[in-house]
Amino acid sequence: MEGLYVRKGEAELKLPEKTIRIPIYEGSEGERGFDISALRKETGYITYDPGLVNTGACDSQITYINGEKGILRHRGYDIEDLAENCYFLEVAYLLIHGKLPSKREYNAFSDLMNRNSMIHEDMHNFFRNYPEGAHPMAVLSAMVVSLSSFYPEMENPVANEDMDMTVTRLLSKLRTIAAFSYKKSVGEPFVYPSHKYTYCENFLNMMFSSPVSDYKPDPVAVRALNLYLTIHADHEQNCSTSVVRFVGSAGSNLYASISAGICALWGPLHGGANEAVVNMIEGAIRDKLSPESLIAKAKDKASKFRLMGFGHRVYKAYDPRAKIAKRTCKKLLEKLGSSKDPIFEYAMELEDKALKDQYFVDKNLYPNVDFYTGIGYRAMGIPTSMFTVLFALGRLPGWIAQWLEMRDSKAQKIGRPRQIYTGPLKKEFVPLDKR
Ligand code: CMC
């Protein structure tokens, strides 16, 4: 065990054959775990935990969550403080470098970001050949893994300067790829990144400017985008981050690991939920379904329907990111002059009714980060199919920080869970002509 993890006594495990002692470790915020790494060797038993609900796969110094109290901190800083006071790039720097940047460091980081924002011209051909209507998440994942063939020298950063360059290039180029994937989906020419813009301004400009119309990034949208990206920046060992660590644990390069993480994020139970929330509400409004009827359907065990944007594996209280997303969404709609957005109104009514419903109360189901973000993106003019791409853009610094931590950990081993085999016992083999 590394870092601030300390040994805190032992537990006794009584098995039919023998009794063994299992070390207990405690993290810096008091979270305790049994170290069962020697269990099978000592006893022949494994642990069984589908969905890894109770399994700690690593120790980490990046993000702390207390799901019962609704606390989220990165490197010790509360998400509220970071979201209200930082640019997204400051938070990205914090996650990756372990400390908030000084003004000089921040300027150097932004500058490096600008200088590495273009993608190889040959990569443009890939974009051109995707079919109309290709989902931007498919394009994003494929393009990220393709970066390894265009920039092989940044695959496996070793020295600190290489790492800075790799990380900055990836952060900067993912933004360009994301905007290009949108331009491709609407059949418009690509807009190149520009040195005159900040990170979020640049993204909005690449999305919305065109050869026939000038575009000036709206400061309200820029601020909201900074906030939204910040609240997605990391969330410890969630599905996509675990995938990034897992793929990386085989020694695969950073691009391959992130590309796999993007695929995991795409699912509607994970990052794809922001898209699913807006589709769910739009469908309900179109079909004249009341919030009560959605709630009834979500409670009906015979139906597979779930209230999208509700519930969380870790949070059993209000997700602190959802609070920020809701507040930001409200401000955005007010400032952009559409405070009576029907989707936002419906979402607030749905939240209100669900939070009073006994089923949701008993199961501690609250709105999660995805419940209000899509509505905010929509207000900025970002199409639904791009919502999860925005999640990926926000999550990228977290994935990078977790991948680097995994790579540098002394406890690092290839990810390789066990199973309990429940298939047939040994059978006699029958050759093809006798079957
Ligand atoms: N609507 C209705 N019932 C729900 C919901 C929901 N959204 N979420 C959980 N439940 C019920 C579930 O049916 C189960 O009931 P029972 O104990 O009677 O079987 C109970 O609550 C516990 O749910 P679970 O599926 O065992 O919990 P989990 O930790 O495995 O799943 C989750 C977490 C986020 C996948 C789930 O809450 C869900 O499917 N939510 C909707 C999709 C969503 O919003 N995903 C975004 C997650 S946050 C951002 C991110 O990670 O990307």
Side-chain angles (χ1 to χ4, degrees), residues 74-103:
H74 298 313
R75 306 279 190 189
Y77 297 103
D78 268 327
I79 189 63
E80 272 283 350
D81 290 333
L82 295 173
E84 281 309 320
N85 301 302
C86 290
Y87 291 113
F88 168 62
L89 277 194
E90 284 177 82
V91 179
Y93 189 101
L94 169 72
L95 289 168
I96 293 162
H97 293 271
K99 70 176 200 57
L100 283 166
S102 66
K103 201 151 191 174

Side-chain angles (χ1 to χ4, degrees), residues 11-15 18-22 36 38-39 42-43:
E12 217 174 65
L13 178 63
K14 281 196 174 117
L15 300 166
K18 61 174 171 177
T19 298
I20 61 154
R21 295 187 167 279
I22 299 177
I36 49 100
L39 184 67
E42 285 183 16
T43 67

Side-chain angles (χ1 to χ4, degrees), residues 269-271 301 306-307 309-313 359 363 368 370:
L269 297 188
H270 193 8
K301 290 288 171 202
R306 283 187 168 198
L307 212 52
F310 257 78
H312 198 275
R313 170 65 60 78
Y359 172 97
K363 295 187 191 299
N368 58 49
D370 292 312

Side-chain angles (χ1 to χ4, degrees), residues 56-195:
C58 62
D59 53 300
S60 177
Q61 302 187 1
I62 302 169
T63 290
Y64 168 66
I65 303 176
N66 182 323
E68 280 68 35
K69 293 188 180 150
I71 295 173
L72 169 62
R73 292 188 200 126
H74 298 313
R75 306 279 190 189
Y77 297 103
D78 268 327
I79 189 63
E80 272 283 350
D81 290 333
L82 295 173
E84 281 309 320
N85 301 302
C86 290
Y87 291 113
F88 168 62
L89 277 194
E90 284 177 82
V91 179
Y93 189 101
L94 169 72
L95 289 168
I96 293 162
H97 293 271
K99 70 176 200 57
L100 283 166
S102 66
K103 201 151 191 174
R104 192 186 52 77
E105 287 164 333
Y106 178 73
N107 289 340
F109 191 49
S110 310
D111 193 44
L112 201 59
M113 199 73 63
N114 262 342
R115 281 190 278 120
N116 288 284
S117 55
M118 291 208 290
I119 53 169
H120 198 290
E121 275 298 304
D122 288 349
M123 285 186 84
H124 292 206
N125 293 329
F126 292 2
F127 280 104
R128 285 195 188 96
N129 291 319
Y130 277 102
E132 281 304 318
H135 197 288
M137 284 297 276
V139 178
L140 194 72
S141 169
M143 285 293 172
V144 168
V145 78
S146 304
L147 283 173
S148 55
S149 46
F150 284 93
Y151 304 93
E153 74 283 4
M154 32 188 262
E155 264 182 12
N156 284 306
V158 181
N160 278 346
E161 312 81 73
D162 296 346
M163 187 197 96
D164 279 356
M165 187 50 96
T166 299
V167 162
T168 326
R169 277 180 171 165
L170 191 50
L171 278 167
S172 193
K173 290 184 197 308
L174 191 81
R175 174 192 53 178
T176 309
I177 293 171
F180 280 20
S181 67
Y182 166 67
K183 285 296 195 192
K184 164 70 198 173
S185 72
V186 289
E188 285 185 16
F190 303 136
V191 175
Y192 283 75
S194 162
H195 284 199

Side-chain angles (χ1 to χ4, degrees), residues 235 238 265 268-273 277 298-299 301 305-314 316 319 321 359-360 363 365 368-370 391:
H235 214 234
N238 56 84
L265 186 74
L269 297 188
H270 193 8
V277 168
K299 287 159 50 176
K301 290 288 171 202
F305 177 79
R306 283 187 168 198
L307 212 52
M308 300 314 284
F310 257 78
H312 198 275
R313 170 65 60 78
V314 181
K316 300 302 161 205
D319 181 337
R321 304 167 302 168
Y359 172 97
F360 287 80
K363 295 187 191 299
L365 300 172
N368 58 49
V369 69
D370 292 312
F391 195 146

Side-chain angles (χ1 to χ4, degrees), residues 333-349:
L333 288 165
E334 275 164 15
K335 293 204 174 133
L336 296 180
S338 48
S339 56
K340 282 279 169 224
D341 177 65
I343 304 223
F344 187 53
E345 298 290 311
Y346 191 102
M348 285 197 299
E349 196 185 335

